[in-house]
């Protein structure tokens, strides 16, 4: 299609982009689609010094329909440049959508394995790309023609592909009815013909299905991501390897009958045929707000992960806004010595920090207004160091109007049990009664009295990191003045330092729904 024709065909697209840009709740330094709908990160990777982020994308509007693969590239994980849409639903097995998948690490030609959707079901499909990863040719037929035959499945989609001892291996997320979520293992010499090796692991759906249980593993596992990781802050990480005694991690997103619950990480041992789970942990205390994560290892050896920050306002509001869905900031992942999977924002994010504003040190409450500098607290990076004795706590008010009627409260409390409790109270985060404002919380073991907190706000998103733990959520303040920050320690707590950096936006100008080469 010529550029002129493309431009006229998509005359309304610029209106959608303009509408999304006008929304004062749209992120400024987190990755979002030009407008329309975004969900899972897909095909994340680094090739020839360039980072690639593909993603579930509907360029027609902010609803989950006929999903394409959007594509953007970056040299620093922070500034992204749109590339042409990589996958578009076609005539064959992906007629109704190109659902999640991966850019196969080390594939040549570059290869995407994804879930083609047709008539309400998904099958494994494959597309081959050119050197720049801008042009993709999908194969007409699925590479695995049928779901595993045997016990009835709840669903079957999403892929993790790696090379192990000279062969390709693949996991496909699924669930066995009446038993639990699972991942099926396959093997191939050429990425095209695959033999089924059976389930790698089957979870325990535990019967009833308590949607409020933040650790429930669901009846289906979406977006499986499987890798090997050596414990330690700089521990080596790579694809699964049955010859290694290193811990293996299986990240999956627990799903039940259409409800996206939360992402979990299972730690255990891999013997080439099966994965024995020793422990399961929450990936993020925000639950569904850090959903469908996918990670890759970059050329520096870091494991970097993104997740989809779902919306918490109704679909009608998303349609009015012209956009839906953002990525978390890219997170560096590592395993601590207790085999807890940890996360922190990648160091590159700091380049977006504007001049720092420091609040006075001390033990009483403090407001950012006291610093004498006006900060828009809706788009900040903040570091707080606090000494919290047992039963001491700290509250950080964010997105707060000066009269306090709108506010989101992060609370960090040291319990007497050696645990630290994190919570986000969103009950007063907006006056828009249609938004979901249920609280988010979780506890983790931590005995050091000093806690270092990192808080990132970006207009309608909030990410808290401390000691490798994360809590991600969304908020939709309605008041224009809901931009102040307050730090309130309990009497026994002492704030050692508070630094706030207004963040510069990272989005490029003139984005298009159908980016041209
Ligand atoms: N999103 C994709 C699926 C995946 C789900 C469809 C997870 O492939 O299971 O957009 O959010």
């Amino acid at each position: 299609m010529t550029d002129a024709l493309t431009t006229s065909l998509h005359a309304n697209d610029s209106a959608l982009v303009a509408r999304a840009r006008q929304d004062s709740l749209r992120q400024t330094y987190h990755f979002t689609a030009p407008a329309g709908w975004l969900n899972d990160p897909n095909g994340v990777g680094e090739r020839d010094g360039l980072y690639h982020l593909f993603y579930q994308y509907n360029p027609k509007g902010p609803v989950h329909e006929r999903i394409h693969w959007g594509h953007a590239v970056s040299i620093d994980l922070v500034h992204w440049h749109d590339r042409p849409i990589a996958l578009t639903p076609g005539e064959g097995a992906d007629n109704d959508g190109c659902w999640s998948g991966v850019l196969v690490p080390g594939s040549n030609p570059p290869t995407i394995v994804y879930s083609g959707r047709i008539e309400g079901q998904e099958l494994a499909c494959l597309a081959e790309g050119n050197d720049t990863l801008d042009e993709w040719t999908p194969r007409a037929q699925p590479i695995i023609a049928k779901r595993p035959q045997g016990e009835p499945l709840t669903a079957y989609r999403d892929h993790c592909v790696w090379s192990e001892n000279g062969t390709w291996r693949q996991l496909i997320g699924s669930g066995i009815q009446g038993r639990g979520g699972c991942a099926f293992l396959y093997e191939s010499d050429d990425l095209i013909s695959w033999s089924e090796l059976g389930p790698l692991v089957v979870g325990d759906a535990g019967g009833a299905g308590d949607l409020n249980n933040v650790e429930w593993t669901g009846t289906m596992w979406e977006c499986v991501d499987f890798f090997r990781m050596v414990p330690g802050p700089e521990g080596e990480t790579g694809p699964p390897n049955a010859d290694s005694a290193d811990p293996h991690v299986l990240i999956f997103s627990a799903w039940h009958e259409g409800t996206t619950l939360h992402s979990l990480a299972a730690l255990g041992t891999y013997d080439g045929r099966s994965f024995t789970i020793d422990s399961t942990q929450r990936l993020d205390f925000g639950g569904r707000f850090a959903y469908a994560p996918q990670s890759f290892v970059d050329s520096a050896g870091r494991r970097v992960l993104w997740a989809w920050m779902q919306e918490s306002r109704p679909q009608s509001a998303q349609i009015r806004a012209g956009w839906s869905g953002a990525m978390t900031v890219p997170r560096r992942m590592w395993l601590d010595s207790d085999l807890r999977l940890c996360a922190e924002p990648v160091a590159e994010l700091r380049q977006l920090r504007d001049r720092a504003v420091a609040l006075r040190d001390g033990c009483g409450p403090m407001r950012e207004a006291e610093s004498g500098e006006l900060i828009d607290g809706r788009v900040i990076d903040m570091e707080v160091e606090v000494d919290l004795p047992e039963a001491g706590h700290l509250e950080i008010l964010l997105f707060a109007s000066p009269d306090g009627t709108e506010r989101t409260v992060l609370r960090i409390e040291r319990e007497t049990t050696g645990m630290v409790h994190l919570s986000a109270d969103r009950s007063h985060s907006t006056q828009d009664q249609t938004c979901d404002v249920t609280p988010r919380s979780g506890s983790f073991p931590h005995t050091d009295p000093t806690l270092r907190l990192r808080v990132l706000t970006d207009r309608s998103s909030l990410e808290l990191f401390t000691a490798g733990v994360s809590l991600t959520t969304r908020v939709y303040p309605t008041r224009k003045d809901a931009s102040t920050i307050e730090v309130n320690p309990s009497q026994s707590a002492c704030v050692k330092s508070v630094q706030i950096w207004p963040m510069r936006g990272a989005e490029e100008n003139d984005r298009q729904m159908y980016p041209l080469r």
Side-chain angles (χ1 to χ4, degrees):
M1 206 182 284
T2 66
D3 289 4
L5 189 52
T6 314
T7 311
S8 66
L9 264 182
H10 300 304
N12 285 332
D13 302 334
S14 50
L16 193 59
V17 173
R19 178 136 58 98
R21 281 240 162 174
Q22 272 160 22
D23 181 18
S24 59
L25 292 166
R26 187 153 174 274
Q27 276 90 347
T28 63
Y29 65 90
H30 285 74
F31 184 82
T32 54
W37 171 274
L38 167 150
N39 59 302
D40 316 345
N42 291 150
V44 299
E46 182 185 355
R47 286 181 84 109
D48 304 325
L50 206 55
Y51 293 109
H52 293 266
L53 174 58
F54 297 83
Y55 57 94
Q56 295 277 281
Y57 177 43
N58 180 7
K60 296 266 182 242
V63 289
H64 187 260
E65 266 171 25
R66 288 203 91 227
I67 294 297
H68 297 51
W69 275 42
H71 181 202
V73 295
S74 170
I75 51 166
D76 62 7
L77 291 170
V78 170
H79 297 92
W80 292 91
H81 176 61
D82 292 318
R83 303 304 304 158
I85 288 177
L87 298 178
T88 300
E91 309 275 291
D94 60 9
N95 191 51
D96 297 336
C98 302
W99 281 21
S100 285
V102 287
L103 172 64
V104 178
S107 53
N108 193 7
T111 302
I112 283 174
V113 172
Y114 67 104
S115 286
R117 178 168 169 88
I118 186 160
E119 290 165 4
Q121 292 222 342
E122 295 79 46
L123 285 175
C125 291
L126 180 145
E128 284 178 353
N130 68 345
D131 283 356
T132 60
L133 276 61
D134 280 336
E135 280 169 33
W136 292 91
T137 312
R139 289 179 78 87
Q141 298 301 323
I143 47 171
I144 300 175
K146 280 193 188 131
R147 291 170 159 209
Q149 308 295 294
E151 293 172 281
L153 306 180
T154 50
Y156 170 80
R157 58 172 170 267
D158 308 338
H159 313 263
C160 176
V161 183
W162 69 96
S163 153
E164 185 177 346
N165 293 330
T167 54
W168 294 105
R169 293 205 139 199
Q170 170 171 200
L171 282 185
I172 301 185
S174 187
I176 299 176
Q177 277 182 29
R179 289 177 62 194
C182 79
F184 285 99
L185 181 63
Y186 293 82
E187 197 166 57
S188 168
D189 288 332
D190 56 5
L191 290 171
I192 311 280
S193 1
W194 292 88
S195 6
E196 185 192 328
L197 302 179
L200 178 83
V201 55
V202 182
D204 178 5
D210 175 1
L211 299 189
N212 295 318
N213 175 353
V214 291
E215 290 175 5
W216 187 45
T217 58
T219 50
M220 193 256 160
W221 292 353
E222 298 193 294
C223 300
V224 286
D225 188 12
F226 190 40
F227 49 87
R228 182 181 59 80
M229 210 172 215
V230 177
E234 307 291 333
E236 197 237 316
T237 181
N241 183 353
D243 295 338
S244 125
D246 296 336
H248 280 68
V249 183
L250 177 68
I251 295 180
F252 60 89
S253 291
W255 178 95
H256 176 62
E257 293 179 354
T259 302
T260 52
L261 297 167
H262 41 246
S263 313
L264 297 168
L267 266 289
T269 8
Y270 168 59
D271 67 7
R273 280 299 178 122
S274 60
F275 176 59
T276 309
I277 298 179
D278 297 324
S279 65
T280 304
Q281 50 194 266
R282 299 169 69 188
L283 186 93
D284 185 290
F285 290 166
R288 74 177 184 92
F289 296 112
Y291 197 74
Q294 193 178 99
S295 68
F296 73 102
V297 183
D298 77 356
S299 50
R302 287 183 300 185
R303 183 163 293 278
V304 177
L305 172 144
W306 282 272
W308 165 39
M309 292 201 287
Q310 305 193 32
E311 300 294 330
S312 197
R313 57 180 171 177
Q315 193 180 64
S316 53
Q318 297 170 40
I319 291 173
R320 269 196 306 278
W323 69 283
S324 175
M327 295 300 166
T328 59
V329 289
R331 300 172 176 188
R332 184 182 79 85
M333 311 298 291
W334 74 98
L335 267 189
D336 74 7
S337 51
D338 297 325
L339 300 190
R340 204 162 45 86
L341 185 62
C342 296
E344 67 177 11
V346 295
E348 287 90 331
L349 203 66
R350 291 173 201 268
Q351 67 187 278
L352 295 178
R353 288 173 166 181
D354 214 331
R355 201 165 58 82
V357 176
L359 262 58
R360 68 181 158 76
D361 308 343
C363 299
M366 51 195 87
R367 275 189 155 215
E368 125 276 334
E370 292 168 19
S371 69
E373 301 201 38
L374 263 189
I375 307 172
D376 178 359
R378 298 172 313 144
V379 188
I380 55 128
D381 184 351
M382 173 174 178
E383 287 182 11
V384 178
E385 193 173 328
V386 60
D387 273 348
L388 279 185
E390 272 190 6
H393 70 256
L394 176 72
E395 286 188 346
I396 303 177
L397 271 58
L398 297 161
F399 300 103
S401 58
D403 66 0
T405 49
E406 272 192 0
R407 61 186 186 279
T408 298
V409 185
L410 284 181
R411 187 179 163 99
I412 300 94
E413 177 162 12
R414 181 184 296 286
E415 298 172 330
T416 48
T417 51
M419 303 289 280
V420 169
H421 186 72
L422 303 181
S423 64
D425 176 356
R426 302 185 296 157
S427 56
H428 292 88
S429 59
T430 180
Q431 289 170 359
D432 178 349
Q433 309 232 328
T434 65
C435 296
D436 160 29
V437 292
T438 48
R440 303 281 136 174
S441 64
S443 297
F444 64 100
H446 191 76
T447 44
D448 183 344
T450 303
L451 274 154
R452 285 173 199 84
L453 312 167
R454 178 102 180 258
V455 178
L456 298 167
T457 64
D458 196 359
R459 287 177 158 189
S460 61
S461 67
L462 170 55
E463 288 159 285
L464 164 66
F465 297 87
T466 184
V469 174
S470 61
L471 189 162
T472 303
T473 194
R474 303 292 304 272
V475 289
Y476 303 88
T478 57
R479 287 182 53 150
K480 284 207 168 50
D481 59 357
S483 63
T484 65
I485 302 170
E486 223 175 285
V487 179
N488 292 332
S490 65
Q491 246 188 351
S492 59
C494 193
V495 177
K496 292 161 110 178
S497 65
V498 182
Q499 278 190 294
I500 305 172
W501 294 265
M503 290 291 266
R504 284 185 280 266
E507 187 172 17
E508 59 177 3
N509 291 322
D510 304 325
R511 295 182 75 188
Q512 298 176 20
M513 303 303 297
Y514 294 84
L516 303 173
R517 186 116 357 126

